[in-house]
Amino acid sequence: MYLKKGIGFVPCEFMRKLPLFFIAAIFLFSCNTQTKKAEEKNEKKDKKISIRDYSITVANSYNDLFLDSNDVASYISENDLPDSISKRITSFYNTRNYEYAWFGSDGVSEQAMGFSSLLNLDGDTSSRQKKLENKMDKMLSSDSITISPKDKSIINTEIYLTERLIRYTTSNFEKGFLKRKEVERFIPFKKSDPILLADSLINKKHKDDKYFADVSKPYKLLMDELKKYVEIVKSNQWLAVDGDAKSFDKKVTPQQVLALKRDLGLMGDMAVDTIPVMDVNVTNGIKSFQTRLGLTADGKLTNSLLKQINVTPVDRVKQLLINMNRMRWLPQAPAGNLIEVNTPAFTLVMYDGAKKVFDMAVVVGKEGHNTTLFSDFLTTIVFSPYWNVPSSIVKSEIVPGINKNPNYIQSHNMEITGQEGGLPVVRQKPGPENSLGKVKFLFPNSFNIYFHDTPAKALFQKDVRAYSHGCIRLSDPQKLAEYLLRNKPEWTTEKILEAMNSGKEQFVKIKTPVPVFLTYYTSWVDENSKLNFREDIYSHDSAVASKMFIGK
């Protein structure tokens, strides 16, 4: 006699000689094999549900937490979801072997922040949406957070975000341009070779010839640049430029000059030539590269610039892929105004629909005081504001200052208005030395972040402008105030200047709240069709790259 085991048969005589625990293991393996086969058979029957990818494990997954498939089934049942949604949710998690999409053990994923920002601007005022906003705000506001995959609240938030993704994409994009399988890959699920991943995006073909890139111009522009960098990698022409910047001033070799010209040429900053001289062509090429990095274009080769030139094409491919993924969470151009702040670019842009109205330099949070990425609506302008000093700054700066100098409060035009949690409650009075300058702009949020003026104007002359405690300082706050109040005839330029310099705090509601979108793009194509790169000031790129790509 024989007992069936997975594929093939095992003789009973042989089975009798085996220990009981080993026999149990054989049967368990057999059951698991049969279960997987049954699941795959059922999934193949329904072409609208992707087959579960069992190759994804903790070792090669993007996020390091996994759901139980029963959790997803229970959520679908408890919320009485229609087949059109429930099948998509099942298919979504099959693609990633029930790996969490929106959370890892270290907290909220970048994709969850991006999608939450998108949902905040969507106009949903339901109780479920409000609950989601509060949950996300609480987690993002926490200094340290550990996610438990068995936490029912986390499980429900995870699956609800996926439900919202499916509903959002099906209702906000014309049919065909965003395929089911592409939505399932919006959030990376498995470590990949960057060149193979880039090739899969570049070379994919759809029968209906409809692609997400057709409805997302920033994404398409970056994909076009991705093709160029993949070609550079495959050409094997790129080589690092040897030496430091000083060697180019004193003892430069022909090999160094030719390597510099070759790499600037490959990146599109100059026409390649074979003259081993630091001539005007290479100077112009350096200026072009500096402009694309957001640096002062003086044509001088520095060690930091040489470091950027020596970023390998493979690493640039990784950077482009990471930022293309972020661009999936860009809002569609609204009918009215939208303010977008790109933190690594230190820039604020005012849009009217798809058209850029103006931009300005900004100062953002320094390392350790990162400007949080989120969205909200600008509702109020405050002229001649008080600065209510955050308790963290009171503790770290003001209390030590008082201990050293009894006149610290008076000398900084401050006042103590009470006590809270063992610390004085401090505010700085309106005036020319006020840290918020002469005006601030409120978009109420849980992170206490807002736009404001500053007396420290010299910082705007720097290329890298990460100096604040998290809020965003504006180089031209008067311009923003005038634009926001343009539909209130009584608020002339003269009256705005008077309010800014009155020394008396005044709140003014704007006529139509303006969406504010705080983003993090270290690569994009600008309005002049130039590919831009910026420093990864908060190490967000490196964190994503370590989860997204195999190898170094």
Side-chain angles (χ1 to χ4, degrees), residues 99-261:
E99 170 197 346
Y100 270 73
W102 309 102
F103 303 102
S105 60
D106 56 348
V108 180
S109 74
E110 182 178 287
Q111 290 76 23
M113 286 190 279
F115 186 43
S116 293
S117 291
L118 201 55
L119 289 177
N120 287 350
L121 301 183
D122 199 37
D124 185 351
T125 58
S126 68
S127 59
R128 289 189 79 190
Q129 173 59 23
K130 193 63 183 174
K131 187 177 179 180
L132 175 65
E133 289 177 21
N134 292 338
K135 179 78 172 178
M136 296 298 291
D137 285 356
K138 186 176 180 180
M139 287 191 285
L140 290 172
S141 300
S142 176
D143 292 332
S144 61
I145 182 170
T146 302
I147 301 292
S148 169
K150 302 300 182 185
D151 184 332
K152 183 69 172 176
S153 173
I154 293 295
I155 291 170
N156 284 337
T157 305
E158 161 72 26
I159 306 173
Y160 178 58
L161 277 166
T162 301
E163 179 192 341
R164 289 302 308 272
L165 174 66
I166 291 164
R167 292 185 185 277
Y168 183 89
T169 53
T170 52
S171 62
N172 284 276
F173 292 92
E174 185 181 330
K175 186 176 180 180
F177 286 102
L178 198 51
K179 308 289 190 290
R180 170 180 61 81
K181 289 187 177 181
E182 186 166 7
V183 174
E184 291 170 8
R185 289 161 175 76
F186 256 36
I187 297 99
F189 53 88
K190 191 175 183 179
K191 289 182 173 67
S192 305
D193 177 278
I195 303 304
L196 292 178
L197 179 58
D199 273 335
S200 71
L201 291 173
I202 293 167
N203 297 316
K204 67 181 177 183
K205 299 295 180 184
H206 295 160
K207 291 181 181 179
D208 60 7
D209 208 30
K210 291 181 178 180
Y211 301 90
F212 176 67
D214 296 326
V215 293
S216 176
K217 185 178 179 181
Y219 183 93
K220 183 181 188 306
L221 291 172
L222 217 49
M223 180 177 276
D224 291 341
E225 297 298 330
L226 179 69
K227 294 175 185 176
K228 296 176 187 177
Y229 270 88
V230 169
E231 289 171 3
I232 293 173
V233 172
K234 292 181 177 180
S235 73
N236 289 316
Q237 294 182 57
W238 184 93
L239 290 172
V241 180
D242 293 332
D244 59 17
K246 287 184 179 180
S247 67
F248 277 81
D249 291 332
K250 298 178 180 179
K251 299 179 180 179
V252 66
T253 66
Q255 291 78 14
Q256 284 176 297
V257 176
L258 291 175
L260 178 61
K261 286 188 171 184

Side-chain angles (χ1 to χ4, degrees), residues 389-402 423-426:
V389 185
S391 59
S392 59
I393 298 177
V394 172
K395 183 178 180 179
S396 63
E397 298 179 22
I398 293 178
V399 170
I402 293 171
L423 290 172
V425 177
V426 180

Side-chain angles (χ1 to χ4, degrees), residues 419-450:
Q419 291 283 325
E420 189 174 304
L423 290 172
V425 177
V426 180
R427 69 178 184 178
Q428 190 175 35
K429 301 174 186 177
E433 300 304 315
N434 186 288
S435 293
L436 304 186
K438 299 176 180 180
V439 60
K440 69 177 179 179
F441 304 83
L442 303 181
F443 37 103
N445 57 82
S446 303
F447 314 107
N448 198 28
I449 290 177
Y450 43 85

